[in-house]
Amino acid sequence: MNDFLLIRKNLFRKKLRAILMIVSILIAFAIFGVLAAFERAFNAGEDVSEADRLVVVNKINFTQPLPIAYFNRIAAVEGVRQVTFANWFGGYYQDPKNFVIVMAVEPETYLKISSTDFAFTPEMSQAFVRNRTGALVGRALAERWGWKLGDRVPISSSIFSQKNGSHTWDVTVVGIFDKAKPQGDTNLMFIQYPYFDETRSFGKDTIGWLLLKTESPAVNDRVIKTIDAMFANSSWETATDTEKAFNKAFVAQLGNVALIVTLVVGAAFVTILMIVGNTMVMAVRERTREIAVLKTLGFSGGRVLRMVLGETLLLAVIGGTLGLALATLFTFAMRNTLAMFVPGLQMSPGIVLTAFGFMILLGLATGLVPALNAFRLRIAEAMGRG
């Protein structure tokens, strides 16, 4: 009989107790996996940002519009190489619960600036520019709904309506694009701003934000100050920042996700550490005579210590692995539903590796005290307790 078999037998000698401990660890790692996946998705926006890209929004709030006239004025600012604009559409497909990220963009300039984020082919770019009702669809979104090139798709808005009272715009899929960066996401759609602006019932000639590229990151500060000073004390004051800072500020509005992850997971792990640690101390105490017998049969103190630590490590790995599996299923199931708010939600290899590191630490921390007690146990004393 090898040591692993003994470890497994000892762990499950009281099945109910073992199952309850596994479930408690499972819950902790499921929480960790889900929260870590959300944190990674929230921070992905910073990863895809470019150092020479700036975002211009309304100073009051990024949900407030800006005049489209700002486009030409900002383009003339020294240090600005390219500029484009976009408007949030607030889209859904067929049913309001089917969120779709849709942005109405200036066709030519937006595709040029975002070419480092998305792989637009020359053919789809030309088709989008030529077709006023055309739409470029990300591959993830197209696969989600089974859309193909040439499909006529009715996209509705939860914010805007047309002049005829309808909330639905019919668009034609003229291109399906892929991501240009590994951390990017293609669960979105672009439609033409001119088509959207001429048909909507309110907000005409206003835009949501402007995106621009500077000559180099070195001139960012000067360009930012120039743009904001240009529109200071106007009815539409601006707030300009780097794309990375803008994405970080946007995520910050949802709360300090990293702190939430740390506090929730920390509380869960401390609780489990006390529960499992105390339970293992009791389990080893119950087996005092058995440990003495093992030592009498020639098992060294070090071997007994390794066996007890092996129990807690096996317990942590079983519970943690099941918890990660549950978290993976949850993030996969919610990926499309939450695509509008948390694009790129997934269980990454980095999260899995971190989780396995925590499993090892948890197993060692909970098993150290009972393992040392077993190591120090003297045969005569143990037999005397019986």
Side-chain angles (χ1 to χ4, degrees):
M1 183 177 289
N2 58 37
D3 287 357
F4 179 77
L5 185 59
L6 282 173
I7 290 169
R8 183 172 61 81
K9 290 285 187 181
N10 283 329
L11 179 60
F12 290 99
R13 64 188 297 163
K14 291 191 176 181
K15 291 183 175 58
L16 179 60
R17 180 168 65 188
I19 291 172
L20 290 176
M21 288 193 294
I22 287 172
V23 169
S24 65
I25 295 172
L26 180 154
I27 293 172
F29 278 92
I31 293 172
F32 166 77
V34 171
L35 290 179
F38 270 86
E39 181 191 14
R40 177 188 174 280
F42 283 139
N43 292 332
E46 296 182 48
D47 296 333
V48 299
S49 60
E50 299 283 341
D52 61 348
R53 285 204 304 226
L54 305 180
V55 180
V56 184
V57 296
N58 192 299
K59 187 176 182 178
I60 297 174
N61 190 283
F62 73 91
T63 61
Q64 298 299 310
L66 291 171
I68 195 172
Y70 281 13
F71 172 70
N72 290 327
R73 296 182 63 183
I74 290 176
V77 172
E78 184 181 355
V80 173
R81 182 154 50 102
Q82 291 177 311
V83 64
T84 189
F85 59 83
N87 204 95
W88 184 256
F89 184 78
Y92 64 88
Y93 179 58
Q94 297 179 336
D95 190 283
K97 70 179 181 181
N98 299 327
F99 299 113
V100 178
I101 300 176
V102 182
M103 288 182 281
V105 303
E106 201 292 314
E108 295 188 44
T109 56
Y110 197 91
L111 297 189
K112 290 178 181 178
I113 288 184
S114 59
S115 61
T116 55
D117 300 320
F118 307 109
F120 301 121
T121 65
E123 294 76 19
M124 73 172 66
S125 299
Q126 292 171 11
F128 184 54
V129 171
R130 288 197 305 262
N131 193 330
R132 199 170 185 80
T133 61
L136 292 179
V137 181
R139 189 165 300 280
L141 183 62
E143 291 176 350
R144 175 185 175 189
W145 296 110
W147 296 337
K148 298 179 177 60
L149 283 177
D151 284 356
R152 192 73 172 168
V153 178
I155 291 295
S156 302
S157 173
S158 58
I159 303 172
F160 300 99
S161 63
Q162 295 196 53
K163 294 174 182 177
N164 61 11
S166 173
H167 285 266
T168 302
W169 276 257
D170 291 322
V171 296
T172 302
V173 179
V174 296
I176 298 176
F177 60 87
D178 293 296
K179 56 188 178 183
K181 297 177 180 178
Q183 65 271 41
D185 187 73
T186 55
N187 216 317
L188 73 166
M189 171 192 288
F190 298 117
I191 64 173
Q192 277 214 22
Y193 175 84
Y195 170 52
F196 163 71
D197 192 50
E198 72 181 9
T199 53
R200 60 174 166 171
S201 59
F202 65 92
K204 185 173 176 57
D205 293 333
T206 60
I207 54 180
W209 66 92
L210 296 105
L211 180 66
L212 61 95
K213 289 178 74 74
T214 59
E215 295 293 346
S216 76
V219 301
N220 283 356
D221 289 341
R222 176 168 57 81
V223 172
I224 288 172
K225 292 177 182 178
T226 301
I227 293 174
D228 289 342
M230 184 187 302
F231 304 111
N233 301 316
S234 69
S235 300
W236 311 82
E237 291 187 289
T238 61
T240 307
D241 215 331
T242 62
E243 186 179 36
K244 183 175 182 178
F246 174 79
N247 291 338
K248 188 174 183 180
F250 180 80
V251 171
Q253 295 184 77
L254 302 174
N256 191 330
V257 181
L259 180 61
I260 293 173
V261 172
T262 302
L263 292 178
V264 173
V265 175
F269 274 70
V270 168
T271 302
I272 289 172
L273 183 67
M274 292 187 292
I275 294 173
V276 176
N278 185 60
T279 303
M280 287 304 299
V281 169
M282 292 173 58
V284 170
R285 187 175 299 163
E286 291 172 0
R287 303 204 305 266
T288 298
R289 286 178 63 84
E290 295 175 23
I291 293 172
V293 170
L294 288 175
K295 289 190 173 183
T296 302
L297 293 174
F299 281 65
S300 66
R303 187 177 179 185
V304 172
L305 181 144
R306 289 193 298 272
M307 287 174 62
V308 175
L309 282 178
E311 284 185 51
T312 56
L313 285 170
L314 181 61
L315 183 70
V317 169
I318 292 174
T321 302
L322 292 175
L324 277 185
L326 187 64
T328 302
L329 290 174
F330 176 82
T331 54
F332 180 79
M334 299 301 293
R335 178 180 173 86
N336 289 332
T337 304
L338 299 176
M340 176 180 176
F341 307 103
V342 195
L345 181 65
Q346 62 179 339
M347 190 65 59
S348 69
I351 295 174
V352 174
L353 289 175
T354 302
F356 273 98
F358 281 140
M359 291 178 206
I360 301 301
L361 288 175
L362 180 64
L364 293 175
T366 54
L368 187 60
V369 172
L372 287 174
N373 289 341
F375 174 78
R376 295 167 180 165
L377 188 66
R378 294 182 179 179
I379 297 174
E381 293 179 0
M383 292 298 187
R385 292 181 191 177

